[in-house]
Amino acid sequence: MAPDQEPLTGEQETGDELYQRFSFVTDKGQEPYRIDKFLMNRIEGATRNKLQRAINSGMVLVNNQPVKQNYKVKPFDSIIVYSDVSPETTEIVPEKMALNIVFEDEHLMVIDKPAGMVVHPGSGNYSGTLLNGVAYYLQQTLPDVSEDTLPRFGLVHRIDKNTSGLLVLAKSGKAMTHLAKQFFDHTVKRQYLALVWGDVANDTGTIKAHVGRNQRFRKLFEAYPDGEHGKDATTHYTVLERMNYVTLVQCVLETGRTHQIRVHMKYIGHPLFNDDFYGGDKIVKGTIYSKYKQFVDNCFQICKRQALHARTLGFVHPVTGVEMHFESPVPVDMATVIEKWRGYSQHVLKGKVD
């Protein structure tokens, strides 16, 4: 009986995709055993509470069918678990706040998150997160909803605090399982818009390098091209516009590791503009002279975060089977800086500045 993923400990990251899949097939001598106890012995770090929540929300399938907590495994059972295997999270306290909901039906909702908003509570961010607002919003229309009936209030993926853009959340266990499977199978279509330092050499490219925690600074992540640390990660990029000292690129994720685009673009020598974690918050390309430095500093003041936007999101509706596609307009801060660089680039080409 082998899981799709290696046993997990609290140190390992779930990445932007918050659920992972474990797969087992019982052998012919399997004795009747409660499903939660069976899985506790096979998934490192899983607690009985989390497993029971997963079972109740339909995220444990036996022979492709959801089961109840009292189900007892039998010989040759095929078991799939979509499980939140991260450490226990902070309690999500409902808070009333404005949410930019771009689509909603009885099964799911798509939200356009602004830069500066943390997605879910955690160390140092216990309130004011997107999930605090989602919890309040859902409880107004679904009074019985809770973290017990809908883990993380339907969150199946996340984006960084200072990244803007689209997120999909489930409103039922069935929808959550279906969406988690799509993320695991890499069938969700996600395109990001990024402004990066330097003139990217190739019009298109694919970056393959494991992404994992920096061995010295635990808040940072690093690219490990030889795969000695972290998890496999693949990013496809396309150059959209060259502006001498910066390049506008489109990034498509094949995997969803923490800080993946930011780490991968730094790895190929093109950190994101104003990314203070990965060296993009200083002048990386261009001669440092007073007017140029002033121009860059002005751009930093306009876009006070990494210039990264989750622009498109596509997936199959978990109930209707219809392919859905959403696009988010580029936020004002990024759009303004892109336009300023576009103008500066034209001046460079005309020889009006060095």
Side-chain angles (χ1 to χ4, degrees):
M1 292 172 283
D4 288 342
Q5 304 287 336
E6 61 182 299
L8 295 174
T9 67
E11 265 299 300
Q12 288 183 290
E13 285 294 312
T14 56
D16 291 341
E17 299 158 4
L18 295 174
Y19 288 83
Q20 297 189 25
R21 184 173 73 184
F22 294 81
S23 177
F24 308 89
V25 176
T26 60
D27 59 36
K28 63 180 180 180
Q30 176 65 49
E31 296 181 358
Y33 210 56
R34 273 182 63 111
I35 185 73
D36 53 354
K37 292 182 179 180
F38 174 87
L39 292 173
M40 276 187 65
N41 293 330
R42 284 159 178 79
I43 302 178
E44 185 176 344
T47 66
R48 188 171 185 181
N49 180 50
K50 277 191 174 183
L51 286 169
Q52 288 179 343
R53 277 171 29 192
I55 292 167
N56 289 338
S57 59
M59 301 191 78
V60 176
L61 306 177
V62 178
N63 303 322
N64 291 319
Q65 296 297 323
V67 294
K68 296 182 178 180
Q69 287 186 34
N70 61 359
Y71 178 83
K72 293 184 177 180
V73 296
K74 302 188 296 293
F76 304 115
D77 270 348
S78 174
I79 303 170
I80 294 176
V81 183
Y82 290 97
S83 176
D84 169 10
V85 292
S86 60
E88 293 289 345
T89 56
T90 305
E91 179 186 1
I92 300 170
V93 179
E95 296 177 37
K96 187 176 182 179
M97 66 178 66
L99 297 173
N100 185 6
I101 300 172
V102 298
F103 174 84
E104 182 180 15
D105 64 14
E106 60 184 304
H107 307 291
L108 59 87
M109 59 198 302
V110 176
I111 295 178
D112 198 342
K113 184 190 83 68
M117 177 182 278
V118 176
V119 170
H120 58 77
S123 178
N125 295 286
Y126 302 109
S127 64
T129 75
L130 181 80
L131 275 197
N132 293 113
V134 167
Y136 179 89
Y137 177 82
L138 289 179
Q139 288 183 349
Q140 304 313 299
T141 55
L142 302 170
D144 295 331
V145 73
S146 69
E147 286 192 84
D148 288 329
T149 59
L150 189 63
R152 287 186 187 268
F153 289 96
L155 187 71
V156 292
H157 69 124
R158 60 188 170 189
I159 56 180
D160 296 337
K161 172 184 176 181
N162 288 325
T163 298
S164 53
L166 297 169
L167 288 163
V168 60
L169 295 93
K171 292 174 64 177
S172 69
K174 180 180 179 180
M176 199 167 192
T177 303
H178 199 289
L179 289 169
K181 182 179 187 301
Q182 291 184 60
F183 275 100
F184 182 87
D185 292 339
H186 307 311
T187 58
V188 176
K189 299 179 176 69
R190 291 177 286 174
Q191 293 181 356
Y192 287 73
L193 192 68
L195 186 68
V196 304
W197 278 106
D199 188 5
V200 178
N202 300 316
D203 289 340
T204 62
T206 295
I207 308 167
K208 292 187 176 183
H210 280 212
V211 172
R213 287 189 184 276
N214 184 289
Q215 299 299 292
R216 291 183 58 195
F217 305 103
R218 303 299 291 168
K219 288 187 177 181
L220 298 179
F221 288 78
E222 195 76 32
Y224 296 97
D226 297 326
E228 67 271 28
H229 297 291
K231 294 183 178 180
D232 66 296
T234 302
T235 303
H236 307 284
Y237 69 84
T238 301
V239 170
L240 300 180
E241 187 174 355
R242 301 178 187 278
M243 292 169 274
N244 292 91
Y245 303 127
V246 295
T247 304
L248 188 63
V249 297
Q250 174 182 283
C251 294
V252 176
L253 293 178
E254 190 170 306
T255 53
R257 309 307 180 198
T258 303
H259 295 186
Q260 179 173 318
I261 292 174
R262 301 164 66 186
V263 169
H264 271 177
M265 295 312 294
K266 178 192 175 185
Y267 169 64
I268 65 170
H270 299 283
L272 268 63
F273 187 78
N274 209 10
D275 189 341
D276 59 351
F277 263 43
Y278 298 105
D281 59 339
K282 60 182 181 295
I283 294 176
V284 177
K285 299 293 181 180
T287 304
I288 301 177
Y289 66 98
S290 59
K291 288 186 178 180
Y292 179 66
K293 184 178 185 303
Q294 183 179 7
F295 169 79
V296 174
D297 286 343
N298 287 341
C299 289
F300 285 157
Q301 286 301 309
I302 294 169
C303 187
K304 299 180 180 181
R305 46 98 174 196
Q306 70 261 8
L308 182 63
H309 179 58
R311 183 168 62 169
T312 70
L313 180 64
F315 54 88
V316 174
H317 193 284
V319 177
T320 67
V322 173
E323 289 193 11
M324 310 195 74
H325 177 85
F326 301 92
E327 184 163 344
S328 166
V330 182
V332 172
D333 60 347
M334 264 188 73
T336 302
V337 165
I338 290 168
E339 191 57 38
K340 285 181 72 69
W341 273 108
R342 189 174 287 137
Y344 191 89
S345 176
Q346 291 302 312
H347 284 300
V348 170
L349 290 175
K350 293 177 181 177
K352 293 184 178 180
V353 295
D354 295 333

